[in-house]
Amino acid sequence: MKLEQLSITQLEERQLQLEKQYDAYKSAGLSLDLTRGKPGAEQLDLSNSLDGILQGFYLLQDGTDVRNYGGLTGIAEARELGGLFMDLPAKEVMVGGNSSLTLMYNYIHFMMESVWLKESKSNNETIKFLCPVPGYDRHFTICDAFNIEMIPVNMLDDGPDMDHIEKLLAQDASIKGIWCVPKYSNPTGTTYSAEVVERFAKLPTIAGDHFKIMWDNAYAVHHLNDQPDQLSNLMDAAREADTAESVIMFASTSKVTFAGSGISFIGLSEDNLKAFEKFLSASAIGPDKVNQLRHVRFLVDADGIQAHMRKHKDIIGPRFDMVDNVLNQHLGNRGIADWTKPMGGYFVSLNTLPGLASTVIKMAGDVGVKLTPAGATFPNGDDPRNQNIRIAPTFPSMEALRQALEVFVVCLELASIQQLLKR
Ligand SMILES: Cc1ncc(COP(=O)(O)O)c(C=O)c1O
């Protein structure tokens, strides 16, 4: 039954029950954490054979010794591998170090230095970026680091609100880019539809050549389901629309092998790649090619990636099922929260009644259950409706996850009743 259909007396009775439960949690000395979107130890163990996999063979077919300096674009075999993640030919892939975020940061730095700053000075305009919300906080941190103003755009069921995006671009030439997590988006789990991808390919015809689509495909192969979502190839659509120069793709093996010791990929046109390579050459002689080769040997090909990711799914799938089951059991049909049931990726996105996210997060924190700070999924930490909460179920054990969720649902229902009773 929906909470708002309950009488005042019924609400007060339920409030008393929940307060008792909440008080019991206070004295339980809990220390649980639902904030960390990182793989658990069992997942990391899946890749332990990376260690020693080269068995002393460091030479590539072309004679390159991967232990030595050089090769800023990455070894050919790893570029092929990156092409499998991003659906691109190897010649359009550069392989970086252990973090795609670093590549994103460096790419924005490159655009600032080479084009955007000059443009903004001569037009006396602030550089702006579109940010689909809720979104990934570290994208926002990169914008912050470069004083790029962020404009939120709502996420819909099939991707960001394209009507709004097209309108904004037509009105404001100082918008220089957009962040996207096009598959199993962080945190909503949304995969952009084919129509949305087509519209993305045409955006630079409105926004101009210097507009960049930062296509962060961090969850390209991270399915939680045997029928994976299909994402259309933006680069192909952009080639058709003659806008390929605006497409900058990213992926990594952070949540495939070792989160701290994986390899990362950037996908871009050959001309863009050359220019970016030149920019990077001031700061590096070459990436960790030994690790690149280890990943090639370990993952091998598309079948190897798929088989490996199935093992991840078997470990984390039950955690996502548990989140959905506990939320459904306690909050289903109560009219006080809605949440996503993602087909892939690392997060569940939940909305409370408007105005309650920070209260729920504080209540949970006060009894030892840490949740991602309110507003973290919005630029400048500002969730205008104060209702989005990101749940990351992969890292805790099943038992810790169950306990944390049980506390969470009590906090959420209690906060909702308190709000209803105030009306
Ligand atoms: C959307 C998204 N992009 C990038 C990253 C980080 O990627 P990397 O480890 O390759 O820097 C994350 C990690 O949570 C993410 O959710």
Side-chain angles (χ1 to χ4, degrees), residues 37 98-102 104 136 138-139 180-181 185-186 216-219 251-255 259 263-264 346-347 390:
N98 71 340
S99 166
S100 60
L101 263 180
T102 306
M104 293 174 219
Y136 179 40
R138 285 180 183 271
H139 289 160
C180 302
V181 184
S185 188
N186 175 351
D216 176 5
N217 209 349
Y219 300 105
S252 79
T253 66
S254 291
K255 285 163 183 159
I263 59 174
S264 58
Y346 259 57
F347 302 100
R390 187 184 87 165

Side-chain angles (χ1 to χ4, degrees), residues 21-322:
Q21 263 175 292
Y22 185 74
D23 286 343
Y25 292 139
K26 266 189 199 156
S27 47
L30 300 173
S31 176
L32 302 163
D33 194 335
L34 288 183
T35 65
R36 289 173 294 190
K38 57 186 192 180
E42 201 185 341
Q43 289 178 273
L44 298 171
D45 283 344
L46 295 174
S47 304
N48 284 349
S49 64
L50 274 170
D51 267 351
I53 199 167
L54 298 184
Q55 299 186 335
F57 292 99
Y58 298 108
L59 286 189
L60 301 181
Q61 273 188 341
D62 66 4
T64 304
D65 184 335
V66 291
R67 295 169 301 178
N68 223 325
Y69 273 136
L72 199 50
T73 51
I75 63 173
E77 293 83 343
R79 295 176 76 184
E80 288 279 346
L81 189 72
L84 298 175
F85 281 81
M86 294 183 293
D87 205 3
L88 288 180
K91 65 184 178 188
E92 293 182 339
V93 177
M94 181 191 273
V95 190
N98 71 340
S99 166
S100 60
L101 263 180
T102 306
L103 288 171
M104 293 174 219
Y105 180 94
N106 285 337
Y107 195 80
I108 298 281
H109 189 193
F110 160 62
M111 283 306 298
M112 291 296 282
E113 297 283 321
S114 58
V115 184
W116 292 340
L117 273 177
K118 278 179 220 136
E119 275 182 0
S120 88
K121 269 192 195 134
S122 67
N123 302 335
N124 203 16
E125 283 172 338
T126 314
I127 300 163
K128 303 188 188 107
F129 247 66
L130 300 179
C131 301
V133 290
Y136 179 40
D137 52 344
R138 285 180 183 271
H139 289 160
F140 310 149
T141 307
I142 294 179
C143 280
D144 255 344
F146 288 102
N147 279 325
I148 295 173
E149 188 181 320
M150 293 173 267
I151 305 175
V153 176
N154 285 337
M155 220 32 197
L156 307 178
D157 288 344
D158 61 348
D161 182 343
M162 297 307 290
D163 289 341
H164 191 201
I165 289 174
E166 288 160 359
K167 200 167 143 207
L168 288 167
L169 291 179
Q171 287 166 352
D172 188 349
S174 67
I175 300 173
K176 296 300 174 199
I178 180 165
W179 290 109
C180 302
V181 184
K183 194 163 179 180
Y184 307 134
S185 188
N186 175 351
T188 60
T190 314
T191 297
Y192 296 9
S193 70
E195 192 210 324
V196 163
V197 174
E198 278 291 321
R199 286 173 79 174
F200 259 97
K202 299 197 178 98
L203 291 183
T205 61
I206 311 172
D209 288 348
H210 297 152
F211 179 78
K212 299 290 175 186
I213 302 169
M214 301 291 279
W215 202 247
D216 176 5
N217 209 349
Y219 300 105
V221 293
H222 303 60
H223 317 295
L224 290 167
N225 191 286
D226 288 330
Q227 280 97 38
D229 285 359
Q230 298 300 322
L231 175 69
S232 313
N233 186 324
L234 175 65
M235 192 63 98
D236 285 349
R239 268 190 269 273
E240 286 274 308
D242 205 13
T243 59
E245 297 305 306
S246 286
V247 176
I248 315 296
M249 296 178 159
F250 302 90
S252 79
T253 66
S254 291
K255 285 163 183 159
V256 176
T257 58
F258 293 160
S261 318
I263 59 174
S264 58
F265 311 105
I266 178 168
L268 62 185
S269 76
E270 285 181 272
D271 284 347
N272 272 343
L273 193 151
K274 267 195 206 110
F276 186 49
E277 182 187 1
K278 186 159 179 268
F279 174 80
L280 287 182
S281 68
S283 66
I285 304 172
D288 178 351
K289 297 188 294 303
V290 174
N291 200 28
Q292 293 185 6
L293 186 57
R294 293 190 322 151
H295 277 77
V296 169
R297 293 279 179 270
F298 180 69
L299 293 170
V300 183
D301 55 17
D303 288 343
I305 297 169
Q306 219 181 53
H308 184 72
M309 294 314 291
R310 246 183 256 124
K311 296 180 196 160
H312 279 283
K313 188 204 83 176
D314 291 344
I315 296 169
I316 62 174
R319 286 172 168 71
F320 279 86
D321 290 341
M322 179 186 281

Side-chain angles (χ1 to χ4, degrees), residues 40-43 224 312-326 348 391-399 401 405:
E42 201 185 341
Q43 289 178 273
L224 290 167
H312 279 283
K313 188 204 83 176
D314 291 344
I315 296 169
I316 62 174
R319 286 172 168 71
F320 279 86
D321 290 341
M322 179 186 281
V323 175
D324 197 56
N325 290 339
V326 174
V348 172
I391 297 172
T394 56
F395 191 71
S397 68
M398 287 287 270
E399 181 49 24
L401 178 63
L405 288 166

